[in-house]
Amino acid sequence: MNKPIRAKSLTGTALALAASLALTACGGTDQASSDAKPKRAKGSEAVAVKDPLVATFEGGLYVLDGETLKLAETVELPGFNRVNPAGDEEHVVVSTDSGFRVFDAARQTFTDAEFKGAKPGHVVLHGGKTVLFTDGTGEVSVFDPADLADGKKPRTRGYTSAEPHHGVAIELTGGELLSTLGTEEKRTGALVLDRDNQEIKRAENCPGVHGEAAAKDEAIAVGCEDGVLVYKDGKFTKVDAPDDYGRIGNQRGSDLSPILLGDYKTDPEAELERPTRISLIDTRTAKLRLVDLGTSYSFRSLARGPHGEALVLGTNGVLHVIDPETGEVTKRIDAVGDWTEPLDWQQPRPTLFVRDHTAYVTEPGKRRLHSFALDSGKKLNSVTLPKSTNELSGVVAGH
């Protein structure tokens, strides 16, 4: 059976330019537990890093300079950890076995801001707010990332789902909160709450709901096992997949484009399906287009470019730049060597993270990290790290 996977969804003006992705990727449902507190590896006193990147590896975090890719610091942190932008120019959110922790990437140290809870899941940035969803409790926490500056836990808007589940939530610019519906066994759709957390809309025609993304004009989509569910202008609209089972579990949006980028899977019995087609969902017309890239990809392969381009890193090592309006591949950037997606979603594989006009791509088989200029396709820098990395993210502000 398909196991839930998560990719980070980064929305808003700057977030349309950044994806890992990763994200989405699932929450830490099988994270190793450890009572050990993270500590900085031996070395000189930390020097502030501009536009830092943060990569996870087995047992810790690497902090790197966003331009030179120089390794600035190694921070020890036991367990399986995940990383997402926090929404400002200094911090990232690290998902650990105990919950979400805020890491000052510029100064390479954890702050006192922590959101405890089992199975920390999606981190969503949109409209100047950061939203955390804790799968093990169903808790949603919304905060302004500017409030992270003092190193303390920020004031939050809270909401708790009727039942814990592998979910996601996003706050709209008008104050509405969209959150998924489900239980640990079954996920069915989404609801919308007003500023006072009173329900105003609900849709339960989205089986297996997973992931979110925001498009131009604040069209919000969540993925289903038979298409996507779009919330726009106060209404839910279902965009049906062309197949009875057409799962779109990971999406990427841009506020420069009304078209969303999604994955596309059609085999509900597969232990791991390696699709070659991606989906392009037009939120204006509620139509879905499939594009076959001729190569497979993973949930950490999707991102959006600075002009709204759809970006997909294939297992053939090529970064595909796609016009979302036509589905045409307009550029192919040779990024890494051929690779195969591992069966275990927690195992390393090449990961794509985009910030502004730069694409960062990991190559864990060679312990490498590369950066590319998206406009020209030129490789900017490469670095070899002490250990293979897993997830990759960085600071992203201005959403």
Side-chain angles (χ1 to χ4, degrees), residues 50-338:
K50 185 179 179 181
D51 299 326
L53 302 171
V54 178
T56 67
F57 65 91
E58 187 175 355
L61 310 172
Y62 289 134
V63 183
L64 306 107
D65 183 283
E67 181 177 353
T68 66
L69 305 186
K70 180 180 178 181
L71 179 59
E73 189 59 88
T74 300
V75 178
E76 297 178 10
L77 185 65
F80 175 74
N81 305 297
R82 317 204 65 208
V83 62
N84 290 273
D88 67 357
E89 296 179 346
E90 298 182 339
H91 300 87
V92 296
V93 176
V94 180
S95 303
T96 72
D97 58 349
S98 62
F100 296 104
R101 299 188 63 185
V102 177
F103 181 74
D104 187 332
R107 297 167 184 81
Q108 305 105 60
T109 186
F110 279 97
T111 73
D112 293 333
E114 183 174 6
F115 299 81
K116 293 185 178 181
K119 302 178 182 178
H122 280 270
V123 178
V124 175
L125 312 182
H126 178 71
K129 294 296 177 63
T130 302
V131 184
L132 313 178
F133 195 103
T134 302
D135 293 351
T137 63
E139 291 181 271
V140 175
S141 300
V142 185
F143 62 88
D144 185 337
D147 293 340
L148 298 174
D150 63 1
K152 306 298 182 183
K153 185 175 180 178
R155 181 175 56 185
T156 62
R157 171 188 182 178
Y159 165 71
T160 302
S161 303
E163 294 192 50
H165 64 282
H166 181 49
V168 66
I170 179 172
E171 185 177 275
L172 281 67
T173 54
E176 305 97 324
L177 181 70
L178 185 150
S179 189
T180 52
L181 292 165
T183 67
E184 291 183 355
E185 291 76 31
K186 186 179 182 180
R187 304 190 300 276
T188 58
L191 55 74
V192 179
L193 310 172
D194 64 15
R195 289 177 177 271
D196 299 317
N197 284 359
Q198 298 299 307
E199 182 178 330
I200 55 177
K201 292 288 181 181
R202 173 184 291 244
E204 297 191 64
N205 57 340
C206 183
V209 60
H210 186 275
E212 60 70 42
K216 187 178 180 180
D217 298 325
E218 204 169 39
I220 310 297
V222 292
C224 317
E225 291 178 348
D226 57 0
V228 296
L229 184 65
V230 177
Y231 182 75
K232 182 181 178 182
D233 298 329
K235 298 179 180 179
F236 278 110
T237 301
K238 182 64 177 294
V239 181
D240 293 321
D243 299 279
D244 291 339
Y245 182 89
R247 183 178 189 269
I248 301 174
N250 301 284
Q251 313 92 39
R252 290 290 182 270
S254 166
D255 67 355
L256 300 177
S257 172
I259 299 174
L260 298 166
L261 166 66
D263 58 0
Y264 193 74
K265 295 184 175 182
T266 58
D267 185 357
E269 303 301 325
E271 180 180 9
L272 173 66
E273 185 175 354
R274 296 183 170 94
T276 61
R277 292 183 294 175
I278 52 98
S279 55
L280 297 172
I281 304 101
D282 193 327
T283 60
R284 299 165 300 188
T285 61
K287 299 295 184 181
L288 184 154
R289 177 204 301 265
L290 297 177
V291 177
D292 196 327
L293 298 178
T295 181
S296 63
Y297 55 91
S298 88
F299 68 93
R300 293 187 186 144
S301 294
L302 309 179
R304 300 302 290 263
H307 310 293
E309 312 96 309
L311 305 173
V312 182
L313 177 65
T315 55
N316 61 355
V318 174
L319 177 57
H320 301 75
V321 181
I322 303 162
D323 182 337
E325 292 282 353
T326 65
E328 178 188 359
V329 178
T330 60
K331 188 181 302 179
R332 293 175 173 83
I333 301 172
D334 292 326
V336 295
D338 292 351

